Amino acid sequence: GAGVSQSPRYKVAKRGQDVALRCDPISGHVSLFWYQQALGQGPEFLTYFQNEAQLDKSGLPSDRFFAERPEGSVSTLKIQRTQQEDSAVYLCASSLEPTTAYEQYFGPGTRLTVT
Amino acid sequence: EDQVTQSPEALRLQEGESSSLNCSYTVSGLRGLFWYRQDPGKGPEFLFTLYSAGEEKEKERLKATLTKKESFLHITAPKPEDSATYLCAAAGGSNYKLTFGKGTLLTVNP
């Protein structure tokens, strides 16, 4: 399919472990977003890339969270020294245009459980 | 700070019973108001974008409308397969992020 893909779909980490979550956006999409969705809540913005440039990382909850998109395509969200409060679904979305005025297409998410 | 509030939190309808979901927003310089559908265990699926007050968009049994303060998602003669969480999101000002509401969980009983 031509949609946004994310891997792994499920990740269980022990507290203190590092994790890396991958996002493959729709080919040709300039914008890439990461969101965090807690159970029963709407997605919350984490960070935004336009091509390889990270233009907004205001939503990253702590310096344990790091995201990159080195070649302007695939992106990785890394969480260091995971804590229980990091347990959530992490959603990636991509958009054709470099503006939020255009619709974002979401991947299925990675469900992270920290034990 | 941008805010989006959705009501009700949950709505249970009988098949064929029409209703509306509400999305109130406080956003400086609205650039777009988005509706998404989310099924359990899946990512949000794009439904509509509305750009200015008075705009309406339709898709099958769904119609989205926009005023200066609210958006409504009208569901006409719903079917059980319309059961899902419906999310509203706003893009405002010069920020890149979407601000989402908590969603409305819609259940349509046969």
Side-chain angles (χ1 to χ4, degrees):
Chain A
V4 177
S5 61
Q6 293 185 245
S7 61
R9 290 294 317 279
Y10 303 92
K11 177 70 179 177
V12 179
K14 290 188 178 178
R15 193 175 126 188
Q17 281 186 331
D18 297 349
V19 298
L21 312 180
R22 177 186 168 106
C23 171
D24 283 87
I26 294 172
S27 178
H29 276 200
V30 169
S31 297
L32 187 145
F33 303 80
W34 283 99
Y35 293 86
Q36 181 189 61
Q37 187 173 27
L39 191 63
Q41 303 293 313
E44 289 196 3
F45 171 82
L46 292 177
T47 188
Y48 165 67
F49 289 87
Q50 187 179 118
N51 296 307
E52 68 277 4
Q54 188 175 22
L55 298 186
D56 189 337
K57 53 182 181 180
S58 62
L60 295 176
S62 77
D63 57 8
R64 296 186 295 104
F65 286 70
F66 171 76
E68 60 183 5
R69 193 186 185 197
E71 297 179 357
S73 177
V74 170
S75 177
T76 303
L77 177 67
K78 298 179 180 178
I79 309 173
Q80 297 177 325
R81 305 181 303 281
T82 52
Q83 303 294 315
Q84 283 196 318
E85 61 262 29
D86 300 335
S87 295
V89 175
Y90 291 85
L91 294 165
C92 174
S94 70
S95 178
L96 182 61
E97 298 288 344
T99 168
T100 49
Y102 287 85
E103 54 267 26
Q104 298 178 21
Y105 294 92
F106 283 80
T110 294
R111 180 178 296 278
L112 173 65
T113 303
V114 181
T115 61
Chain B
E1 184 178 328
D2 296 345
Q3 283 192 323
V4 175
T5 304
Q6 292 188 246
S7 62
E9 290 186 4
L11 180 63
R12 191 177 291 270
L13 300 174
Q14 288 298 123
E15 186 171 1
E17 180 186 0
S18 301
S19 188
S20 296
L21 312 182
N22 177 266
C23 170
S24 298
Y25 63 91
T26 305
V27 172
S28 57
L30 182 73
R31 301 175 68 189
L33 188 292
F34 302 83
W35 282 97
Y36 286 85
R37 168 190 172 131
Q38 187 171 29
D39 293 294
K42 296 190 176 182
E45 175 190 345
F46 171 76
L47 293 174
F48 302 108
T49 308
L50 302 166
Y51 293 108
S52 57
E55 190 174 0
E56 298 183 353
K57 288 194 176 173
E58 286 188 67
K59 178 181 178 181
E60 295 181 357
R61 296 176 293 281
L62 301 177
K63 183 169 84 171
T65 61
L66 182 66
T67 73
K68 289 186 178 179
K69 294 182 179 180
E70 297 175 300
S71 179
F72 293 92
L73 185 66
H74 307 277
I75 303 176
T76 303
K79 298 182 177 181
E81 53 262 42
D82 295 322
S83 297
T85 295
Y86 289 86
L87 295 165
C88 170
S94 61
N95 293 334
Y96 298 105
K97 67 178 184 179
L98 287 183
T99 300
F100 279 86
K102 293 183 178 181
T104 293
L105 175 61
L106 174 66
T107 304
V108 181
N109 295 315

